[in-house]
């Protein structure tokens, strides 16, 4: 039986809204280098399904055409089908309404899933059994990577970062009901949490939250293998005229290397690498309000205004 530390494996996918579906698809496939795997229409809205090259499952990013931009939902991969029952029971016992969906009911390649709302108003999904379509490499004697990749071509989706009016309530929900581990936190001078970083995959964070409007998306991030990849990606973004929010730098929180930028709709993306390994008995790291600038941008030691005010 899974333990509380391994029922959720990692972030499975995000579904985001974009007003111009074809423009967004061109950006995510030609500049970022994701791979289109399917298209459909749900509730009258066309959608495009995408994956990173080294992901074996059907999709990790879904674009949905809509008048606005932002996050529709975030989905986390479960280890066993029985974990759907485990979390349904746990959530309903805490008074959280849960909706259950059969495999493929929500779209092509989709596994069986449950959905519910976090205290911040974000729609959260847990899923098992997403269709596996492979990672573009043979299973016997594979090369390190495919030879025909396009654009930046990150190997996988890494994490999602959202905003909430009550960071404490959000954090308690994810740690107590969804069994995430707290890795780092930024505390205000009065002791309340300004930001928290939570994981299930033994990385510094699979999801993070910072003070801001309920339901808001701050960014979702893709993994690159090393710091050189971050710098080369920034060159590619600049070449294509992509709006760069934060040039390549380093975080204090997570110890990761990063660059931030915006898709054509205004959803913030990140490329991320580095960090550390998180064991089940990891003791959370605390940053104080005075050191928030160093926590978020270690070299600059200050946070630009857009980081707190721009979201989707």
């Amino acid at each position: 039986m899974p333990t509380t530390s391994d029922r959720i494996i990692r972030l499975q996918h995000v579904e985001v809204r974009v007003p111009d579906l074809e423009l967004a698809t061109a950006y995510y496939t030609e500049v970022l280098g994701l791979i289109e795997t399917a298209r459909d229409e749900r509730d009258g809205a066309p959608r495009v399904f995408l994956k990173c090259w080294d992901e074996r499952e059907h999709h990790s990013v879904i674009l949905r055409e809509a008048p606005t931009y932002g996050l529709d939902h975030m989905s986390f991969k479960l280890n066993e089908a029985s974990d759907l029952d485990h979390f349904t029971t746990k959530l309903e016992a805490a008074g959280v309404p849960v909706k259950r969906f059969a495999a493929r009911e929500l779209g092509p390649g989709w596994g069986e899933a449950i959905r519910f709302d976090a205290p911040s108003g974000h729609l959260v999904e847990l899923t098992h059994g997403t269709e596996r379509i492979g990672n573009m490499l043979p299973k016997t004697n594979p090369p390190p990577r495919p030879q025909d990749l396009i654009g930046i071509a990150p190997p996988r989706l890494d994490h999602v970062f959202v905003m909430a009016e009550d960071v404490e309530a959000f954090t308690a929900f994810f740690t107590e009901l969804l069994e995430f581990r707290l890795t780092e936190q930024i505390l205000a001078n009065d002791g309340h949490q300004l930001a928290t970083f939570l994981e299930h995959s033994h990385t510094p964070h699979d999801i993070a939250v910072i003070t801001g409007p309920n339901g808001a998306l701050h960014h979702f991030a893709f993994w690159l293998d090393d710091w050189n990849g971050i710098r080369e990606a920034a060159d590619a973004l600049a070449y294509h005229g992509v709006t760069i929010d934060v040039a390549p730098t380093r975080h204090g929180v997570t110890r990761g290397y990063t660059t931030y930028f915006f898709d054509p709709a205004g959803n913030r993306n990140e490329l991320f690498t580095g960090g550390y390994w998180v064991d089940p008995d990891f003791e959370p790291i605390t940053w104080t309000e005075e050191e928030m600038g160093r926590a978020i941008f270690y070299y600059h030691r200050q946070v630009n205004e857009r980081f707190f005010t721009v979201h989707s």
Side-chain angles (χ1 to χ4, degrees):
M1 292 292 293
T3 66
T4 57
S5 64
D6 63 9
R7 293 186 189 276
I8 293 176
I9 297 175
R10 57 173 168 78
L11 181 64
Q12 173 66 61
H13 68 253
V14 294
E15 181 170 352
V16 294
R17 300 184 300 277
V18 294
D20 188 330
L21 185 61
E22 294 307 320
L23 177 62
T25 300
Y27 161 82
Y28 279 101
T29 57
E30 297 172 19
V31 179
L32 270 185
L34 275 59
I35 299 151
E36 182 176 332
T37 60
R39 293 189 178 219
D40 80 344
E41 186 172 303
R42 183 173 176 83
D43 299 326
R47 298 189 299 181
V48 173
F49 291 72
L50 306 164
K51 68 182 286 293
C52 298
W53 74 261
D54 202 23
E55 294 167 334
R56 290 164 172 80
E57 290 166 313
H58 183 270
H59 55 267
S60 59
V61 175
I62 306 165
L63 307 177
R64 182 174 71 85
E65 189 171 77
T68 61
Y69 63 127
L71 180 69
D72 269 356
H73 75 273
M74 65 189 92
S75 178
F76 295 93
K77 178 182 179 179
L78 293 175
N79 190 27
E80 303 284 351
S82 60
D83 296 330
L84 291 161
D85 296 325
H86 168 81
F87 284 111
T88 297
T89 300
K90 194 168 185 179
L91 288 159
E92 289 181 341
V96 179
V98 176
K99 293 183 179 180
R100 190 152 186 161
F101 301 87
R104 313 301 182 264
E105 182 178 353
L106 292 169
W110 225 291
E112 190 177 0
I114 60 172
R115 286 183 170 182
F116 46 90
D117 290 323
S120 56
H122 294 95
L123 180 61
V124 182
E125 176 183 288
L126 304 180
T127 187
H128 178 268
T130 302
E131 179 186 351
R132 296 175 69 84
I133 61 174
N135 69 340
M136 302 178 65
L137 294 174
K139 293 183 179 179
T140 302
N141 304 326
R145 58 187 280 139
Q147 295 301 303
D148 55 352
L149 296 174
I150 296 171
I152 295 167
R156 62 177 172 83
L157 183 68
D158 190 78
H159 64 266
V160 62
F161 196 130
V162 298
M163 306 182 90
E165 294 176 8
D166 189 339
V167 172
E168 279 94 345
F170 182 99
T171 303
F173 182 88
F174 273 79
T175 55
E176 295 170 12
L177 295 183
L178 301 185
E179 302 166 4
F180 279 75
R181 285 184 289 256
L182 175 68
T183 58
E184 303 203 38
Q185 59 183 347
I186 302 173
L187 295 185
N189 290 331
D190 63 4
H192 78 269
Q193 292 172 321
L194 295 172
T196 59
F197 300 77
L198 310 166
E199 68 83 29
H200 255 298
S201 63
H202 302 283
T203 60
H205 58 334
D206 296 298
I207 185 170
V209 59
I210 195 166
T211 302
N214 276 345
L217 169 68
H218 191 276
H219 69 266
F220 57 98
F222 300 93
W223 174 266
L224 287 179
D225 289 335
D226 55 36
W227 170 238
N228 283 337
I230 297 287
R231 294 189 298 107
E232 291 167 358
D235 289 344
L237 294 168
Y239 175 82
H240 287 285
V242 175
T243 301
I244 295 176
D245 183 31
V246 179
T249 187
R250 187 172 198 173
H251 293 306
V253 172
T254 76
R255 304 181 201 158
Y257 296 97
T258 177
T259 188
Y260 290 98
F261 46 99
F262 294 98
D263 75 9
N267 297 303
R268 186 189 275 108
N269 296 157
E270 181 190 18
L271 293 168
F272 179 86
T273 193
Y276 48 81
W277 184 258
V278 177
D279 287 330
D281 60 353
F282 184 89
E283 296 182 5
I285 296 167
T286 296
W287 295 79
T288 60
E289 185 174 355
E290 288 82 4
E291 293 295 328
M292 179 181 288
R294 192 162 63 98
I296 295 176
F297 297 125
Y298 191 75
Y299 298 148
H300 300 109
R301 296 175 178 264
Q302 58 185 1
V303 182
N304 68 50
E305 184 70 15
R306 292 186 305 275
F307 197 82
F308 288 113
T309 59
V310 176
H311 54 80
S312 59

